[in-house]
Amino acid sequence: MPLSPLSRPNLAHIVRTRLSEAILSGELEPGQHVPEPELASRLGVSRAPVREALLELERHGLVTFDSRGRTHVVQLTLEDMEEIYSLRLALEPLAAGLTAERGTTQDFETLAANIAATEQATSLAEVTRLDAAFHDLIMRASGHRRAAHFWEGLRYQVEAWLGLMQRRHQAVFQSTQAETVKAHKRLLKVLRSGDAAAAEEEMKKHIVSWRRWLALEADAAARSDRKPTL
């Protein structure tokens, strides 16, 4: 979504939403310097809501401030990606098992609607957004409040992780959308079955399926003797 002037109330929240969308879609690139005055001008607001939004995005792991207070879009290293991967592997199979046990008809219908929207998405950025939302829905349906609390702190970084992985996958196979839909349909079928152990295992396989892309990046970094960033 292009950054354009805003005219609605609650500007800090709106600015945060616009900036997170720009970062997660790649419109604002990893490592890019994003000066507050420039962002305020592009969005048609004062610097105060921009500063407030950037502070919140820092807490969510999407931007960083250097020693001079300048803001940059976060550039995830391979170590960052591995940590996000390991946390997903700890939290999401647990949530899937609980959702299989506790999920309501409405929960499953909402997940099915998300899959249908993913199938109709017209951009990879939209696929990524809906993919992250699908996992949000499972986390909420699990009813595990503390797991959901930890997930909330990780959620933006998970979407950034998904975006990077999916852009990489799409560049090679051109089939990311179809494969995402297929995987989510398979997950939903297992969730509906009520089999917690099977749901945990299916979610684990779903997350592990992205592991090879991290390994490929590590190999490429080793061959080129460069810092492994994604």
Side-chain angles (χ1 to χ4, degrees):
M1 179 183 295
L3 296 177
S4 55
L6 301 170
S7 59
R8 294 165 56 189
N10 196 12
L11 287 180
H13 174 75
I14 299 168
V15 170
R16 186 201 69 188
T17 300
R18 289 285 183 88
L19 290 179
S20 65
E21 289 173 349
I23 292 168
L24 294 168
S25 69
E27 180 186 348
L28 295 176
E29 298 179 353
Q32 181 177 339
H33 175 40
V34 283
E36 288 177 31
E38 179 184 323
L39 292 175
S41 175
R42 291 173 67 180
L43 293 168
V45 299
S46 69
R47 291 179 62 176
V50 171
R51 180 67 174 177
E52 185 178 341
L54 290 173
L55 287 170
E56 187 166 356
L57 291 177
E58 182 195 29
R59 289 193 292 273
H60 286 292
L62 289 187
V63 303
T64 60
F65 295 100
D66 64 22
S67 59
R68 297 171 60 184
R70 296 177 302 184
T71 311
H72 296 265
V73 176
V74 72
Q75 186 165 14
L76 296 176
T77 66
L78 185 61
E79 182 180 1
D80 294 327
M81 299 290 279
E82 289 280 9
E83 288 186 356
I84 294 167
Y85 167 82
S86 65
L87 284 172
R88 290 194 69 193
L89 208 53
L91 288 173
E92 295 194 65
L94 169 65
L98 290 171
T99 297
E101 292 179 340
R102 304 173 179 177
T104 66
T105 300
Q106 182 59 53
D107 289 329
F108 298 137
E109 288 178 354
T110 303
L111 286 166
N114 173 282
I115 295 171
T118 304
E119 208 160 12
Q120 298 299 315
T122 57
S123 70
L124 187 59
E126 189 178 0
V127 170
T128 300
R129 180 183 63 78
L130 288 164
D131 192 344
F134 181 85
H135 292 271
D136 284 347
L137 290 167
I138 293 173
M139 190 60 66
R140 288 201 293 271
S142 75
H144 195 305
R145 292 181 294 110
R146 287 173 174 79
H149 174 74
F150 281 110
W151 175 261
E152 183 62 26
L154 187 66
R155 188 251 183 271
Y156 279 120
Q157 294 174 65
V158 168
E159 188 167 344
W161 189 97
L162 283 169
L164 288 165
M165 293 291 96
Q166 289 182 343
R167 287 193 290 272
R168 216 164 170 67
H169 183 276
Q170 182 70 5
V172 176
F173 293 111
Q174 301 292 310
S175 61
T176 304
Q177 182 172 7
E179 291 188 32
T180 299
V181 168
K182 182 179 179 181
H184 285 185
K185 284 182 176 179
R186 189 163 56 243
L187 265 169
L188 179 55
K189 181 179 180 180
V190 179
L191 290 171
R192 285 186 188 273
S193 75
D195 186 332
E200 287 186 24
E201 184 60 28
E202 188 63 35
M203 180 62 83
K204 182 178 179 181
K205 287 193 297 184
H206 181 58
I207 297 168
V208 169
S209 68
W210 287 106
R211 184 66 184 80
R212 64 182 294 254
W213 295 95
L214 294 177
L216 288 172
E217 173 59 21
D219 289 344
R223 287 195 301 272
S224 62
D225 193 31
R226 64 179 171 81
K227 183 179 180 180
T229 56
L230 290 167

